[in-house]
Amino acid sequence: MRSRAQIGRCGHARARSHLYLATLTAARFNPIIKTFYDRLREAGKPMKVARCACARKLLHIAFAVVTRQQPFDPSYQSPLPVEAAMAS
C-alpha cells in the first residue's frame, strides 16, 4: 500500500527544518527555485516532493557558493542566446 511522501530522517534535524522553511519562501520569490518548483508541479509531482527537490537544489546552490568563494551568478546555467550558439 502506498503512503504519503515523507522527508527523510537522515542528517541534522534542525538544519533540515531550516532548509525546508527557506525553501517555502524560495519557491515563491526566488526566480530559479520558483521555475524549478513550478516545472515539477506541472509534471505532476506532489507538493511535498517538489519542495524537497527544491530544498536539495537550494542546498547545492549554497554549497557551491561557499566552496568556490564566489558570488552567486543566477545566469550560470542559463542556455546561450540563439545568436551566440550559432556563432560558435
Side-chain angles (χ1 to χ4, degrees):
M1 199 191 252
R2 227 172 193 188
S3 63
R4 292 184 59 184
Q6 295 180 348
I7 298 176
R9 299 293 181 226
C10 296
H12 197 271
R14 288 180 70 190
R16 184 175 56 248
S17 172
H18 291 312
L19 183 62
Y20 186 80
L21 291 175
T23 304
L24 295 177
T25 302
R28 290 177 58 199
F29 300 111
N30 184 327
I32 294 171
I33 302 296
K34 181 175 176 34
T35 55
F36 182 63
Y37 177 77
D38 291 340
R39 183 170 49 103
L40 290 173
R41 290 292 291 153
E42 288 173 4
K45 298 293 181 188
M47 186 172 29
K48 190 179 277 189
V49 171
R51 284 183 182 162
C52 288
C54 289
R56 181 177 167 88
K57 188 171 189 75
L58 195 60
L59 183 63
H60 280 259
I61 290 170
F63 183 79
V65 166
V66 170
T67 57
R68 294 178 187 207
Q69 296 180 351
Q70 294 178 352
F72 175 65
D73 181 15
S75 62
Y76 177 72
Q77 290 185 338
S78 65
L80 293 173
V82 175
E83 297 83 22
M86 294 179 76
S88 48

